């Protein structure tokens, strides 16, 4: 059944056709990595349909090389069942044709983002999509934009830098995508204030949902006793790993792969890498289970887990993952604080 769904992507003639395939995929594909690959294939089909429609409507073929980028969990290949859009666009701009090229790719962005919405991927509430001029442009424009954020690294700009750091070529000329990613990682590697600011924000505002006394930080009112494992486990874990990876100049956006390189480089011990990798495994498994449980109960997927409803071994795993993540956050904060003061 999974293979049939994949084969039908390329046969789909409209985003509405893709929406039906998307709805079937989230209910039948049980392997997270396979679902991530499905999302990639569907994304590229939407891009192809948009390019075909542009040519039919008189815009002609693409006037320059381009690459669509996946951002966020899509870039890290850690998507869950319920995901919204996080994407960007980079393209060449031949000298003398800048205005026409920008017009074409602005229209392509509008059609691709609209097509993804029609295909079942909601618009990003934070407007992190290629329809936002902030998230599209030539490599040179991307470089100037990144430097501009670094020149004034308040939290809003640091947040944009962190978003830009997690990107992966999805379709088009992958070389353009790699060029942008390399530029972002290179710019951030020695941006000590920005890295410290991110570590500080995580430790003060986005801390793992476990107190120093080992008690859970749970929700309020109807969420009392429940843990949001996206904001209370996944985000602080991924965010901490990202900072170490950026400092080491690691261009790979996947959290699992970043952990492996951090160990191989000697920046992390084998014990530290194992603890982080195991926390990631537990987190992704819990999120996947929660999303599927919600889907089977015909509820919108969310990340609220009630430990009282989990088997004892899963509760133990949750606490182990939270403990490892809290320890990593603290170590991350201390390391980048020391790095900034030393610099």
């Amino acid at each position: 059944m999974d293979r049939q769904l994949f084969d039908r992507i390329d046969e789909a003639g409209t985003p509405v056709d893709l929406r039906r395939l998307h709805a079937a995929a989230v209910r039948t594909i049980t392997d997270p990595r396979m679902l991530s690959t499905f999302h990639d294939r569907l994304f590229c089909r939407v891009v192809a349909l948009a390019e075909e429609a542009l040519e039919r409507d008189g815009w002609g073929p693409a006037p320059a090389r381009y690459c669509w980028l996946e951002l966020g969990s899509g870039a890290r290949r850690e998507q869950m069942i319920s995901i919204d859009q996080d994407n960007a666009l980079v393209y060449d701009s031949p000298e003398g044709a800048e205005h026409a090229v920008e017009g074409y790719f602005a229209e392509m962005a509008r059609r691709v983002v609209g097509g993804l919405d029609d295909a079942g991927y909601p618009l990003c509430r934070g407007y992190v999509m290629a329809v936002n001029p902030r998230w599209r442009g030539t490599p040179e424009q991307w470089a100037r934009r990144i430097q501009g954020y670094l020149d004034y690294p308040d939290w809003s700009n640091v947040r944009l830098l962190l978003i830009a750091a997690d990107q992966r070529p999805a379709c088009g000329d992958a070389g353009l995508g790699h060029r942008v990613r390399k530029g972002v990682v290179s710019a951030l590697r020695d941006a000590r204030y920005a890295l410290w600011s991110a570590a500080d924000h995580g430790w003060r505002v986005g801390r793992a949902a476990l107190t120093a006394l080992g008690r859970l930080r749970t929700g309020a009112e109807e969420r009392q006793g429940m843990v949001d494992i996206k904001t209370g486990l996944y985000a602080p874990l991924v965010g901490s790993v990202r900072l170490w990876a950026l400092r080491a100049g690691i261009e790979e956006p996947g959290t699992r792969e970043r952990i492996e390189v951090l160990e191989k480089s000697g920046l992390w011990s084998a014990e530290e890498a194992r603890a982080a990798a195991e926390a990631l495994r537990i987190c992704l498994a819990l999120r996947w289970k929660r999303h599927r449980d919600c889907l089977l109960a015909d509820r919108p997927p969310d990340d609220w887990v009630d430990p009282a409803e989990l088997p004892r071994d899963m509760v133990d795993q949750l606490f182990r993952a939270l403990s490892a993540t809290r320890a990593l956050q603290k170590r991350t904060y201390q390391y980048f604080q020391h790095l900034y003061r030393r610099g």
Side-chain angles (χ1 to χ4, degrees):
M1 179 60 181
D2 293 347
R3 183 48 53 193
Q4 292 176 9
L5 285 172
F6 276 81
D7 291 341
R8 289 166 59 192
I9 290 174
D10 294 334
E11 301 170 2
T14 69
V16 175
D17 295 335
L18 292 170
R19 188 185 192 94
R20 288 191 282 268
L21 294 178
H22 178 219
V26 297
R27 287 188 172 274
T28 58
I29 295 177
T30 57
D31 178 74
R33 299 288 280 190
M34 182 173 288
L35 185 59
S36 180
T37 301
F38 177 89
H39 290 315
D40 285 354
R41 286 276 296 274
L42 192 147
F43 185 174
C44 290
R45 182 57 181 160
V46 171
V47 172
L49 290 173
E51 191 168 356
E52 291 168 9
L54 282 164
E55 190 157 8
R56 285 198 307 270
D57 293 344
W59 289 82
R65 297 182 305 149
Y66 69 87
C67 181
W68 277 89
L69 305 172
E70 285 267 27
L71 304 177
S73 63
R76 297 187 296 269
R77 295 188 185 276
E78 294 162 8
Q79 296 146 306
M80 291 291 108
I81 290 172
S82 177
I83 59 171
D84 61 3
Q85 293 189 46
D86 290 290
N87 52 65
L89 177 61
V90 57
Y91 50 84
D92 271 340
S93 185
E95 188 174 352
E98 292 87 353
H99 183 72
V101 169
E102 165 58 23
Y104 177 92
F105 286 113
E107 179 63 15
M108 174 185 260
R110 186 186 70 80
R111 296 192 186 208
V112 169
V113 168
L116 287 168
D117 188 31
D118 290 341
Y121 299 86
L123 302 177
C124 173
R125 294 177 183 176
Y127 205 32
V128 182
M129 300 174 292
V131 286
N132 180 348
R134 187 191 299 276
W135 296 105
R136 71 170 186 268
T138 65
E140 294 76 20
Q141 288 170 329
W142 272 94
R144 288 195 296 271
R145 196 174 296 147
I146 296 304
Q147 188 57 53
Y149 298 150
L150 286 171
D151 288 343
Y152 188 64
D154 64 353
W155 172 242
S156 62
N157 280 345
V158 170
R159 177 178 171 274
L160 294 172
L161 289 165
L162 297 177
I163 293 172
D166 286 5
Q167 57 174 269
R168 175 173 58 83
C171 43
D173 190 319
L176 282 172
H178 291 310
R179 181 177 169 186
V180 171
R181 187 169 70 192
K182 185 179 184 66
V184 174
V185 173
S186 177
L188 278 167
R189 183 171 190 173
D190 293 316
R192 298 187 180 197
Y193 179 85
L195 296 175
W196 167 79
S197 176
D200 177 67
H201 187 273
W203 185 241
R204 289 186 300 104
V205 180
R207 201 174 298 187
L210 192 71
T211 70
L213 297 176
R215 295 175 181 171
L216 290 176
R217 287 196 179 93
T218 62
E221 299 178 356
E222 71 274 11
R223 301 295 191 184
Q224 185 64 42
M226 303 178 75
V227 179
D228 184 340
I229 53 174
K230 180 178 181 180
T231 61
L233 176 55
Y234 179 69
L237 174 61
V238 167
S240 296
V241 173
R242 180 195 297 118
L243 294 181
W244 289 90
L246 288 171
R247 178 58 184 162
I250 298 169
E251 295 180 25
E252 169 59 52
T255 307
R256 184 183 294 105
E257 291 78 10
R258 282 170 166 170
I259 292 169
E260 291 174 357
V261 179
L262 285 167
E263 180 185 359
K264 290 177 182 176
S265 69
L267 197 57
W268 280 14
S269 68
E271 182 180 354
E272 290 166 341
R274 278 196 301 271
E278 177 66 1
L280 179 66
R281 183 195 67 77
I282 293 167
C283 174
L284 294 178
L286 285 169
R287 290 193 70 201
W288 181 261
K289 181 181 184 305
R290 175 62 183 175
H291 279 223
R292 288 207 65 81
D293 287 348
C294 288
L295 192 68
L296 294 174
D298 291 320
R299 297 196 307 269
D302 62 47
D303 289 279
W304 287 96
V305 169
D306 187 348
E309 296 179 357
L310 294 175
R312 182 68 252 177
D313 65 319
M314 293 190 72
V315 174
D316 292 341
Q317 290 182 46
L318 172 60
F319 272 87
R320 189 162 67 248
L322 286 167
S323 179
T325 298
R326 190 181 192 282
L328 173 58
Q329 272 194 296
K330 183 176 182 180
R331 182 162 58 89
T332 301
Y333 169 74
Q334 292 172 337
Y335 174 83
F336 285 100
Q337 182 186 55
H338 174 72
L339 183 71
Y340 173 61
R341 288 177 175 174
R342 191 182 67 194

